[in-house]
C-alpha cells in the first residue's frame, strides 16, 4: 500500500491509483483534491499529473469526468444489460466505452427477494462497480428509464429550422434537431437527446419512415418500448435445425377427432380440445376430455439460442397489423402450430369431469395428434346453433305440419356430431360449476381494428364475445388448474399465475366512488369475486354500469408470475398456472418443462425438462416475464389508441356521441361510444363560470348554473383534435368557444378566501375556474 502523503502535498502516481481503486464513490479531480487536501496552485499541479497519467495509459476518464484504471470501468457508471442466463443472472457492459478492445462484461449482483425488480435485456442501470481481479461485478444503485436518452418523434420544419415532435402524449415540448442525418419533414425517427437543460436538442439516430403509412402505428410502439422484432441469424438457424426433429415415441391420439377453435385470423394454434361421455363407472354421468397443447418444450430446449431469445421476449405481442412472435415463425406458425391434417407433437392433459362439472382427475402425456379441423369461433358457434335449432324444431313439430328446413353449417356435419356437441355438453356442466364458484364477471368489450389488404383502417368496433369463446376459456382454465395441482402433488416447482385480492386502499376508493351512485359497500366483509358481481347485479342496466365495471377493474391488483402460490382471486381458484399457450408465453413453456420433469416424460434424454438452474431462478424469471407482459400490454393498448385516433382523424370538427370516463380538476376525459379512445375536454373550454371539483364524487359542478359533469354521463362533443402519431384525442363542448391561452388560469381550490373568489369572478374575460372539494377522511 502506498504511503499517504502529508496534507497539501501532491500525491504520487501510486497514491492516486490506490485512491481511485478504493474510493466508494466516483473519483473525479475534485474528489482527489479534497482527499489529499490540495488547494490553489496544487490543484493545477494535480490536473497536470492526472493528464500525464492518462497519457501514460494508467487511468482513463469516464462519464462525469470520473477517473478509473485504464482498461477498467469507472467506480460508478451506467451499464446496459446484454444477457440474462438460464439462472436469471444478468450480464452488463458499460453504456459508453472508449477503452481499447471490447467493453468488459460485468456480472450484475441483483438484490433478491420479493419486491426486487428483475432486470431484462436492454435495461440501463446506474451501478457501483468492483474489480475482483479476474472479473468485474456490478452492484445496481438505480434502474434508469429505458431509452431515456432516445426519443421517438416526427420531423417537421419551421422556416430554416427542423424540429422533433415527440410521439409520447406526456412529452409536450418539441426539440430542435441538431443533426438531421438524411431525415425529411414528416419522417418518423428515433433521435438521441443532446445537450443539457434548458438547451436540449435531438440528433436523428434512425429513420423509421412515414408515421401515417399503413402498418406504421405498431412500429411506433415496437421502437418506443424496445420490443425485439427481428431474430438473430443464429436463432433462425437453430430453429431450422430443430424443426426437423423426429417426434419419437409418443401416445398416439391421431384417431381422436380433436379440433382447434381459434380466431378466424389466427396464425398460430396453441390448443385443441375434445370431449366425450365417460365410460368409467366411477364417473357415472361424467365426461372425459382432452386438452392438447403444442409441445413447444420438445423443440425449445433449456439453454439453447432459441430459449434465450424467447426468455428475452417473454411473450408474443399482438397488434392489429402484425404479430411480434416469441418464437421464430418456422416454429410458431408452422412446426409447433396445431394445424388440420398434420401430425403434431402435443403435451396432452387428460381430464375427468364429473356430471356437476368438477375436475375428478387428470394426467399428462406427450402425444402425437392430428387435428381434425381448425374452426373459427364464429363458425363453431354458427354450427352448434344450427344443430340445436334443428333439434328443437324436430321435437316441437310433426313431419306433416312443418316444411323441411335446410341448413348449411360451415362446419362438416360429422365434426359437429363427433366433437362439437360433446364439447358443448361437457362445457355446460363445467359452466354450471364455474357459476357456483363465482369468479369475477366483468363484461368489458375489447376493441377490434379491421384493416383492408393494404393495411388501411376499415372499422373499429367492440369484439363480439360468443359462447364458443367462453367454452374454450373454460377448458383452458381446467387444464391450467390441473397443471398447477399436478405439479404440487409431485412437489415440483410451479410457475404460478398469481392474482392477489385488492388492497384496502383500493377498496376504500371504490367505496367512496360507489357512494356517488348511492350504492353501499361494506369494508368489513370478506371480499370475494362474488362481492363485486353482486354490485354489478345491483347496478343492473343503468347508464353508469360500464363505469362501475371499469372502476371495479381498477380496484383489482395486477396479476403476475411467480413460484409462490397466493391463489387467483379473479378466477376464485386456489392454485392456477399457465399451461395452454407455450407458443406465445414463456411462463407456459416453464410449466411444460416442469411437467416433463415431474412425470418423467423423457426418462433417458432429459434434454427438455426443467433444469436445476431454472428451478433456482424461478422468482427472477417470474418477475422478468411479468415485466415483459406489462410492456406488451402497454404497447398493444397504445397502438389501438393510435388506430382509433387515425380512424377519427377524418371526423375532426364533427359532433360525436361520448361518455365521460373520468373527471379531474383540469377537465374531464370522455370516450367515443362504441369505439373507444379517451380524449380530454380541458377545463378552460367549459365556459366562464366557476366549477367546483369534488374529489370524492369525482364531479365538476358549476357554482352558478349547477351544471354537473360526472363519470358515466353521456353527451355530444365536438372532436377538436385526433393525433394518430400520439394516439391522443381532444374534445370541446358543442357550443362553447375555446378559451385563449391568456385566459386560462389555475384552478381555484377550497380554502381560498371568499374575497379572492369574488375578485376573480369580477374580472372580465376569465374562463371557467374550478374549486376542489377535498375528500373527507
Amino acid at each position: 500500500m502506498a504511503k499517504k502523503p502529508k496534507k497539501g502535498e501532491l500525491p504520487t502516481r501510486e497514491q492516486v491509483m490506490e485512491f481511485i481503486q478504493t474510493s466508494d464513490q466516483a473519483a473525479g479531480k475534485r474528489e482527489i483534491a479534497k482527499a489529499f487536501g490540495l488547494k490553489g496552485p496544487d490543484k493545477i499541479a494535480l490536473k497536470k499529473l492526472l493528464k500525464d497519467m492518462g497519457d501514460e495509459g494508467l487511468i482513463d476518464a469516464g462519464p462525469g469526468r470520473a477517473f478509473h484504471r485504464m482498461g477498467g470501468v469507472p467506480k460508478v457508471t451506467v451499464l446496459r444489460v446484454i444477457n440474462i442466463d438460464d439462472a436469471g443472472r444478468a450480464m452488463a457492459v458499460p453504456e459508453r466505452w472508449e477503452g481499447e478492445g471490447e467493453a468488459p462484461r460485468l456480472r450484475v449482483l441483483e438484490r433478491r427477494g420479493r419486491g426486487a425488480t428483475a432486470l431484462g435485456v436492454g435495461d440501463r442501470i446506474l451501478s457501483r462497480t468492483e474489480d475482483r481481479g479476474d472479473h468485474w461485478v456490478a452492484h445496481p444503485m438505480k434502474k434508469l428509464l429505458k431509452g431515456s436518452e432516445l426519443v421517438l418523434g416526427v420531423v417537421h420544419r419551421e422556416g430554416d429550422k427542423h424540429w422533433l415532435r415527440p410521439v409520447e402524449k406526456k412529452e409536450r415540448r418539441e426539440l430542435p434537431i441538431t443533426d438531421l442525418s438524411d431525415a425529411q419533414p414528416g419522417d418518423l425517427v428515433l433521435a438521441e437527446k443532446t445537450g443539457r437543460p434548458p438547451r436540449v436538442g435531438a440528433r436523428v439516430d434512425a429513420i423509421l419512415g412515414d408515421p401515417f403509412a399503413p402498418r406504421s402505428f405498431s412500429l411506433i410502439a415496437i421502437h418506443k418500448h424496445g420490443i425485439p422484432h427481428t431474430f438473430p441469424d443464429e436463432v433462425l438457424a437453430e430453429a431450422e435445425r430443430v424443426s426437423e426433429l423426429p417426434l419419437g415415441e409418443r401416445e398416439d391420439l391421431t384417431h381422436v377427432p380433436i379440433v382447434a377453435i381459434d380466431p378466424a385470423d389466427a396464425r398460430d394454434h396453441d390448443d385443441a380440445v375434445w370431449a366425450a361421455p365417460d365410460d368409467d363407472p366411477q364417473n357415472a354421468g361424467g365426461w372425459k376430455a382432452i386438452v392438447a397443447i403444442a409441445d413447444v418444450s420438445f423443440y425449445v430446449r433449456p439453454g439453447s439460442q432459441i430459449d434465450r431469445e424467447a426468455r428475452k421476449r417473454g411473450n408474443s405481442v399482438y397488434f392489429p397489423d402484425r404479430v411480434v412472435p416469441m418464437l421464430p415463425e418456422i416454429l410458431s406458425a408452422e412446426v409447433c402450430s396445431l394445424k388440420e391434417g398434420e401430425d403434431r407433437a402435443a403435451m396432452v392433459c387428460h381430464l375427468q369431469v364429473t356430471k356437476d362439472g368438477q375436475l375428478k382427475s387428470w394426467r399428462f402425456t406427450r402425444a402425437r395428434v392430428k387435428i381434425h379441423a381448425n374452426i373459427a369461433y364464429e363458425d363453431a358457434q354458427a354450427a352448434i346453433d344450427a344443430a340445436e335449432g334443428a333439434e328443437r324444431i324436430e321435437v316441437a313439430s310433426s313431419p306433416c305440419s312443418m316444411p323441411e328446413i335446410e341448413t348449411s353449417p360451415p362446419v362438416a356435419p360429422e365434426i359437429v356430431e363427433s366433437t362439437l356437441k360433446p364439447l358443448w355438453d361437457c362445457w355446460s356442466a363445467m359452466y354450471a360449476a364455474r357459476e357456483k364458484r363465482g369468479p369475477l364477471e366483468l363484461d368489458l368489450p375489447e376493441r377490434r381494428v379491421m384493416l383492408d389488404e393494404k393495411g388501411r383502417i376499415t372499422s373499429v368496433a367492440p369484439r363480439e364475445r360468443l359462447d364458443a369463446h367462453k367454452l374454450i376459456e373454460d377448458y383452458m382454465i381446467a387444464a391450467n388448474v390441473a397443471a398447477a395441482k399436478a405439479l404440487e402433488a409431485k412437489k415440483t416447482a410451479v410457475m404460478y399465475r398469481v392474482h392477489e385480492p385488492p388492497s384496502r386502499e383500493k377498496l376504500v376508493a371504490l367505496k367512496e366512488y360507489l357512494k356517488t351512485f348511492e350504492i353501499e359497500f361494506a369494508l368489513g366483509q370478506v371480499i370475494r369475486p362474488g362481492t363485486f358481481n353482486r354490485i354489478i347485479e345491483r347496478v343492473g342496466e343503468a347508464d353508469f354500469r360500464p363505469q362501475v365495471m371499469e372502476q371495479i377493474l381498477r380496484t383489482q391488483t395486477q396479476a403476475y408470475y411467480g413460484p409462490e402460490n397466493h391463489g387467483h382471486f379473479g378466477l376464485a381458484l386456489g392454485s392456477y398456472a399457465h399451461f395452454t399457450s407455450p407458443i406465445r408465453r414463456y411462463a407456459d413453456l416453464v410449466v411444460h418443462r416442469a411437467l416433463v420433469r415431474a412425470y418423467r416424460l423423457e426418462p433417458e434424454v432429459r434434454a427438455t425438462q426443467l433444469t436445476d438452474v431454472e428451478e433456482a431462478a424461478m422468482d427472477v424469471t417470474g418477475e422478468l416475464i411479468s415485466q415483459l407482459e406489462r410492456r406488451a400490454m402497454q404497447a398493444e393498448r397504445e397502438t389501438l389508441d393510435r388506430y382509433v385516433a387515425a380512424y377519427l382523424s377524418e371526423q375532426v370538427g364533427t359532433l360525436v356521441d361520448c361518455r365521460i370516463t373520468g373527471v379531474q380538476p383540469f377537465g374531464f376525459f370522455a370516450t367515443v361510444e362504441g369505439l373507444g379512445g379517451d380524449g380530454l375536454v380541458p377545463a378552460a373550454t367549459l365556459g366562464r363560470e366557476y366549477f367546483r371539483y369534488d374529489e370524492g364524487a369525482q364531479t365538476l359542478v358549476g357554482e352558478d348554473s349547477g351544471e354537473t359533469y360526472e363519470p358515466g354521463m353521456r353527451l355530444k362533443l365536438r372532436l377538436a383534435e385526433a393525433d394518430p402519431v400520439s394516439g391522443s384525442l381532444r374534445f370541446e363542448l358543442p357550443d362553447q368557444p375555446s378559451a385563449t391561452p391568456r385566459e386560462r388560469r389555475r384552478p381555484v381550490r377550497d380554502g381560498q378566501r371568499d374575497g379572492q373568489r369574488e375578485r376573480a369572478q369580477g374580472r372580465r374575460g376569465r374562463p371557467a375556474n374550478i374549486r376542489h372539494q377535498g375528500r373527507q377522511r
Side-chain angles (χ1 to χ4, degrees):
M1 179 180 292
K3 183 180 179 181
K4 189 173 182 180
K6 296 179 181 179
K7 188 173 183 180
E9 182 179 316
L10 190 68
T12 65
R13 284 167 168 74
E14 292 77 13
Q15 291 164 342
V16 171
M17 287 291 295
E18 182 178 328
F19 174 76
I20 290 173
Q21 291 182 258
T22 59
S23 174
D24 60 357
Q25 60 179 333
K29 186 180 72 173
R30 180 182 301 176
E31 288 74 22
I32 297 173
K34 183 178 180 181
F36 293 103
L38 304 180
K39 297 181 179 179
D42 292 331
K43 286 186 177 181
I44 298 174
L46 175 64
K47 181 177 180 181
K48 183 178 184 303
L49 173 63
L50 294 173
K51 183 179 183 303
D52 290 344
M53 292 177 69
D55 293 341
E56 294 165 12
L58 296 175
I59 61 173
D60 195 9
R65 307 306 298 167
F67 293 100
H68 57 89
R69 180 170 58 84
M70 179 67 79
V73 182
K75 204 71 176 176
V76 177
T77 191
V78 176
L79 304 176
R80 178 172 50 83
V81 177
I82 60 169
N83 185 45
I84 306 289
D85 66 17
D86 295 338
R89 297 185 294 258
M91 295 295 294
V93 295
E95 187 170 56
R96 294 175 57 186
W97 177 252
E98 298 174 359
E100 295 182 1
E102 293 185 0
R105 294 162 63 96
L106 294 87
R107 173 73 66 196
V108 181
L109 304 181
E110 295 183 72
R111 180 170 61 90
R112 290 288 188 260
R114 188 164 181 146
T117 300
L119 296 175
V121 174
D123 282 344
R124 301 169 66 245
I125 48 174
L126 181 65
S127 301
R128 286 189 300 103
T129 64
E130 179 185 352
D131 184 358
R132 293 189 173 177
D134 59 341
H135 69 284
W136 286 82
V137 297
H139 304 274
M141 300 166 61
K142 180 181 180 182
K143 185 174 178 180
L144 304 176
L145 290 177
K146 203 175 221 179
S148 60
E149 299 301 317
L150 294 176
V151 183
L152 196 64
V154 177
V155 177
H156 73 98
R157 183 173 181 172
E158 290 183 7
D160 58 348
K161 290 186 176 180
H162 288 86
W163 296 80
L164 182 74
R165 188 175 80 243
V167 303
E168 179 61 48
K169 293 180 184 179
K170 297 178 182 178
E171 186 69 57
R172 298 179 180 275
R173 187 177 63 173
E174 296 186 354
L175 302 175
I177 297 177
T178 57
D179 184 353
L180 190 63
S181 188
D182 294 324
Q184 300 296 321
D187 280 348
L188 176 68
V189 300
L190 198 61
E192 180 182 4
K193 284 186 177 180
T194 61
R196 295 183 177 180
R199 297 182 178 179
V200 178
R203 179 184 63 81
V204 174
D205 185 69
I207 302 169
L208 307 180
D210 181 0
F212 298 98
R215 308 184 188 280
S216 285
F217 300 131
S218 56
L219 194 62
I220 293 174
I222 287 169
H223 283 277
K224 176 186 170 184
H225 293 281
I227 297 172
H229 63 292
T230 58
F231 287 98
D233 290 341
E234 58 269 23
V235 173
L236 294 175
E238 187 175 83
E240 289 282 350
R241 289 196 300 272
V242 301
S243 68
E244 302 294 331
L245 288 173
L247 300 187
E249 293 186 8
R250 294 171 171 265
E251 181 184 19
D252 188 357
L253 297 177
T254 54
H255 62 286
V256 180
I258 305 172
V259 297
I261 304 177
D262 292 293
D265 56 354
R267 294 184 60 195
D268 51 66
H269 305 277
D270 285 279
D271 55 85
V273 289
W274 170 86
D278 196 353
D279 51 7
D280 184 352
Q282 299 297 318
N283 189 31
W287 305 84
K288 54 186 177 182
I290 285 175
V291 178
I293 305 299
D295 190 1
V296 175
S297 65
F298 178 70
Y299 298 98
V300 183
R301 309 290 175 92
S304 65
Q305 296 275 11
I306 307 172
D307 181 48
R308 285 195 287 269
E309 183 69 17
R311 191 176 188 273
K312 182 172 75 174
R313 295 174 180 232
N315 47 252
S316 298
V317 188
Y318 292 84
F319 299 110
D321 62 321
R322 75 180 76 203
V323 177
V324 180
M326 184 180 78
L327 302 174
E329 189 169 348
I330 193 171
L331 297 179
S332 62
E334 296 295 334
V335 176
C336 292
S337 189
L338 303 181
K339 291 187 173 183
E340 180 177 339
E342 301 285 345
D343 279 14
R344 288 290 185 257
M347 183 78 75
V348 175
C349 175
H350 299 262
L351 296 170
Q352 270 193 311
V353 181
T354 65
K355 62 181 179 180
D356 57 357
Q358 301 294 330
L359 291 185
K360 178 178 174 61
S361 67
W362 47 80
R363 64 184 179 91
F364 291 86
T365 64
R366 270 182 156 162
R368 180 192 298 265
V369 299
K370 180 177 288 187
I371 304 306
H372 281 228
N374 289 110
I375 310 172
Y377 283 116
E378 295 80 5
D379 291 344
Q381 190 68 57
I384 203 70
D385 287 347
E388 290 179 349
E391 288 178 357
R392 285 195 296 271
I393 290 170
E394 183 178 347
V395 170
S397 61
S398 64
C400 59
S401 62
M402 194 79 177
E404 182 178 353
I405 297 179
E406 296 183 2
T407 59
S408 54
V411 181
E414 61 270 21
I415 295 293
V416 175
E417 292 297 323
S418 67
T419 306
L420 291 192
K421 283 185 179 180
L423 275 173
W424 249 263
D425 290 341
C426 178
W427 173 64
S428 295
M430 294 170 66
Y431 189 75
R434 175 192 174 103
E435 291 289 284
K436 186 176 180 180
R437 190 175 80 241
L440 185 61
E441 300 288 354
L442 293 177
D443 187 18
L444 292 169
E446 298 179 46
R447 289 174 289 170
R448 184 181 184 185
V449 176
M450 299 298 294
L451 307 175
D452 63 17
E453 66 281 357
K454 294 184 178 180
R456 296 171 301 194
I457 306 162
T458 58
S459 67
V460 182
R463 190 183 296 272
E464 187 179 13
R465 183 164 167 79
L466 306 169
D467 280 352
H469 293 93
K470 299 175 184 177
L471 175 140
I472 293 299
E473 180 180 287
D474 282 334
Y475 277 105
M476 298 305 109
I477 289 173
N480 288 337
V481 169
K485 289 185 176 295
L487 291 174
E488 289 172 348
K490 293 287 186 177
K491 301 188 184 306
T492 301
V494 186
M495 182 64 78
Y496 291 101
R497 178 63 167 177
V498 180
H499 182 225
E500 298 187 51
S503 66
R504 180 173 176 80
E505 182 182 8
K506 289 189 174 183
L507 291 172
V508 170
L510 177 64
K511 176 182 175 67
E512 294 182 359
Y513 179 81
L514 293 174
K515 192 183 296 181
T516 65
F517 297 105
E518 299 182 352
I519 299 174
E520 291 300 321
F521 178 63
L523 292 176
Q525 63 183 311
V526 177
I527 303 298
R528 295 188 174 90
T531 307
F532 300 114
N533 293 339
R534 287 190 291 274
I535 292 172
I536 297 170
E537 290 172 4
R538 288 164 60 189
V539 171
E541 297 303 319
D543 287 347
F544 54 84
R545 178 186 175 93
Q547 285 68 54
V548 171
M549 287 194 292
E550 287 169 3
Q551 190 66 29
I552 289 174
L553 180 62
R554 294 190 189 102
T555 303
Q556 307 307 308
T557 60
Q558 196 163 32
Y560 62 90
Y561 295 105
E564 295 183 14
N565 187 16
H566 298 282
H568 198 294
F569 176 82
L571 292 175
L573 292 168
S575 298
Y576 193 67
H578 271 169
F579 160 77
T580 54
S581 296
I583 289 177
R584 62 186 180 90
R585 290 189 307 225
Y586 194 83
D588 304 55
L589 180 56
V590 173
V591 170
H592 277 229
R593 289 172 178 166
L595 287 166
V596 171
R597 178 172 178 169
Y599 280 82
R600 299 182 180 179
L601 299 181
E602 54 164 8
E604 295 180 3
V605 180
R606 298 187 179 180
T608 68
Q609 68 180 21
L610 189 74
T611 64
D612 293 338
V613 172
E614 283 185 297
E615 183 174 358
M618 288 277 268
D619 56 339
V620 177
T621 301
E623 177 64 26
L624 174 65
I625 59 181
S626 296
Q627 290 180 12
L628 295 174
E629 178 189 50
R630 290 191 283 273
R631 177 183 71 175
M633 291 171 63
Q634 187 175 355
E636 291 168 354
R637 184 168 58 248
E638 290 176 2
T639 301
L640 273 176
D641 286 343
R642 290 188 177 97
Y643 271 106
V644 169
Y647 186 68
L648 290 172
S649 62
E650 297 180 359
Q651 301 179 39
V652 171
T654 63
L655 297 181
V656 290
D657 292 319
C658 295
R659 174 173 50 83
I660 296 178
T661 57
V663 180
Q664 295 293 332
F666 49 81
F668 61 83
F669 291 93
T671 187
V672 181
E673 288 276 56
L675 188 63
D678 275 340
L680 176 66
V681 179
T685 67
L686 294 181
R688 302 190 183 281
E689 69 171 310
Y690 281 83
F691 278 78
R692 178 185 298 273
Y693 174 61
D694 187 325
E695 185 176 358
Q698 297 186 25
T699 58
L700 289 173
V701 183
E703 289 198 341
D704 297 328
S705 65
E707 186 171 8
T708 302
Y709 297 101
E710 59 187 356
M713 179 178 174
R714 286 181 165 82
L715 70 171
K716 283 189 178 294
L717 295 173
R718 176 177 290 108
L719 181 61
E721 181 182 314
D723 185 354
V725 176
S726 66
S728 62
L729 306 175
R730 186 170 61 83
F731 300 108
E732 295 175 346
L733 296 180
D735 302 319
Q736 183 64 46
S738 299
T740 64
R742 181 177 295 180
E743 290 177 315
R744 295 174 185 167
R745 301 180 62 236
R746 295 173 61 186
V748 178
R749 299 176 180 268
D750 281 350
Q752 291 182 312
R753 297 187 303 274
D754 289 341
Q756 180 182 353
R757 179 172 62 85
E758 291 169 3
R759 288 194 300 273
Q761 283 180 319
R763 295 172 182 162
R764 298 179 61 188
R766 296 298 188 188
N769 285 274
I770 300 170
R771 279 181 166 279
H772 179 188
Q773 182 168 313
R775 181 180 297 166
Q776 298 297 316
R777 299 189 182 276

